[in-house]
Amino acid sequence: HVSQMDIANFINTLATVDFTTSGFVFCNPSADLDSVVSSLVYAYYLTSGGHQVIPVISVTKKAIRLRTEVTYYFDLLKLDLKALVYIDDPRLKHDLKSPVEVHLVDHNNFHNPLKFESFIIITIVDHHVDEKTDVKFLKKIEPVGSCCTLLTEMIKVSSFPKNFVLDDTIKKLLGGTIILDTVNLNPEKGRVTAKDKDMVAFLEIQDKDDVYNKLSTARNDVNCLSAYELLSRDCKSFHGPGYDVGVPSVSGVSWEEFKALQPTKAIENFATDQNYRFMFITMANFCNRKAERFIVVPKYPKKVARIPGLLHTLIKELDLEKIEEKKEPYKSWLVYRQKKLQLSRKVFLPLLKSYFDNLTEDH
C-alpha cells in the first residue's frame, strides 16, 4: 500500500528509495522541460498506483543547469531539481532487477545509455515519429504539441490512483510545459493541436501569456553559456554503419550572435567528445520581434561528398536559403536560413535519418 503524498514529497523519497526493486522512467536525452516534467509526473503517477518507479533525467546532474527553463520553473514551483535522479547517479550501476523495467517518455527508441544487460520496455508515452519499438504493456504515441499533453490526458481519463494528488503544482508543471511547447497555443506556429488546448483548459492555467513569456525568457536566457554549452544543452543524435550524426538545437541566439562566440573550436571539441562524424546545428531565435531559424553544417569530411545532395532535398522540404559567408572558416561551411519557421527539429531529424539510412543501403 502506498500512502498519499504530493509530488514534492515524492521527489524527497528519491534519496532513499530502493533502486534494486524499482522500474525507471527515462526521459528524452535532450532533457528539456517537456522531458523532465513528463518523466517526473509519470513516475509519480505510476508509483501512486502501487508500482515503485523512479524518474531518470537523461543528463548528468551538473548538466541540468544548461536547461535554463527547467531550473527557472522548478525554482518557481519550489521543487528540488537537485534531488531528482540523473544519468550519472551511482545507484543506477548496481544490483538492479533483471530485466530492468523501463518506461519511456518524450522519445520511443531506447538507446540503453547505462548498458543494462537485460531490459524490457513496459510503456511508452511520446509525441515523436513512431520508431516501432516493442512494448509489453502500453504504447501511446500521438503527434501533439507536447508529451505533457498525453500524460495530462491519461490522468484525466483514468480514475487516477487515489494516492495521486492533482494539485496546483502538478497542474502548473504540466500546463506551463504545454504552453511553452506550443508557443502559447499559437496555431500560426504549427505546433498546437486541439488536444493541447483541451488539456490546458482541463489544467485550469491562468495568465497563459505571462506563463509563456516567463518560461520563454528563461529558456532563451543563454548569456551565461559558452558555445560548447549551447551545443550540449539540447543535442539529439543517431548512428549507423560508418556514421554518427549529432543534431544540436541552439535556441536563443541568431547565427550572427553564435558566430560572435567564435564557435569553431567548441564545435570541434564537442564533435570529438561525442564521437560525431557529422553535425547539423539547428538554430532557433524567437527572442526578437523577428523569428528566425538556421541550419548550419560545419566543415564535413571531404570523403562524404553527398552531404550537399542531402541538403538539396532539405532545401525543398524546409525552404532553405543559402547564406554566403565571405570569411573562413565559415566560408567552407554550409549555412542556411530556414524560411518555413513552423518546422522544428522534430520534422528535420526524421528527414535526415532516412537520408543516412538510404545512403547506407546504397553502399
Side-chain angles (χ1 to χ4, degrees), residues 58-213:
S58 300
V59 292
T60 63
K61 194 170 190 172
K62 198 173 158 193
I64 198 67
R65 80 169 196 92
L66 306 182
R67 280 72 181 168
T68 45
E69 81 282 15
V70 179
T71 55
Y72 158 75
Y73 213 36
F74 274 66
D75 281 351
L76 182 76
L77 298 176
K78 299 187 168 47
L79 294 172
D80 187 357
L81 188 58
K82 290 198 172 71
L84 295 184
V85 174
Y86 294 88
I87 203 84
D88 55 345
D89 192 309
R91 293 173 294 175
L92 288 166
K93 300 274 194 294
H94 306 296
D95 304 326
L96 303 180
K97 68 176 170 188
S98 187
V100 179
E101 292 183 356
V102 170
H103 305 263
L104 301 181
V105 290
D106 202 29
H107 67 312
N108 62 82
N109 189 358
F110 187 55
H111 293 299
N112 196 14
L114 293 165
K115 307 284 183 281
F116 295 141
E117 277 180 32
S118 141
F119 65 86
I120 182 164
I121 309 287
I122 307 293
T123 65
I124 293 175
V125 182
D126 184 30
H127 64 135
H128 295 87
V129 174
D130 187 352
E131 298 195 43
K132 308 288 187 271
T133 302
D134 288 334
V135 301
K136 184 175 180 185
F137 182 59
L138 165 84
K139 184 192 257 193
K140 186 176 176 66
I141 299 180
E142 291 177 41
V144 292
S146 175
C147 189
C148 283
T149 296
L150 300 177
L151 281 174
T152 305
E153 185 183 43
M154 287 170 71
I155 292 164
K156 181 177 182 246
V157 301
S158 67
S159 49
F160 48 83
K162 64 178 185 296
N163 297 309
F164 181 91
V165 184
L166 183 62
D167 58 9
D168 241 24
T169 303
I170 289 202
K171 286 180 177 179
K172 284 176 178 165
L173 271 175
L174 293 166
T177 304
I178 299 167
I179 287 166
L180 181 66
D181 276 354
T182 58
V183 195
N184 201 9
L185 306 177
N186 183 345
E188 288 176 17
K189 302 295 181 191
R191 299 176 72 166
V192 66
T193 64
K195 191 171 281 189
D196 299 304
K197 290 180 180 173
D198 289 349
M199 293 308 116
V200 169
F202 166 72
L203 293 165
E204 303 169 309
I205 302 298
Q206 310 299 314
D207 304 325
K208 288 191 277 291
D209 293 355
D210 187 53
V211 169
Y212 174 73
N213 290 333

Side-chain angles (χ1 to χ4, degrees), residues 39 42 51 69 83 87 96 125 137 152 162 176-178 218 230 241 283 288 296 303 311 316-317 333 346 351:
S39 114
Y42 193 36
H51 308 277
E69 81 282 15
I87 203 84
L96 303 180
V125 182
F137 182 59
T152 305
K162 64 178 185 296
T177 304
I178 299 167
L230 283 170
M283 288 185 188
N288 311 325
V296 177
K303 272 186 270 185
L311 284 161
K316 280 188 188 157
E317 296 271 0
W333 294 11
K346 202 179 284 126
L351 290 172

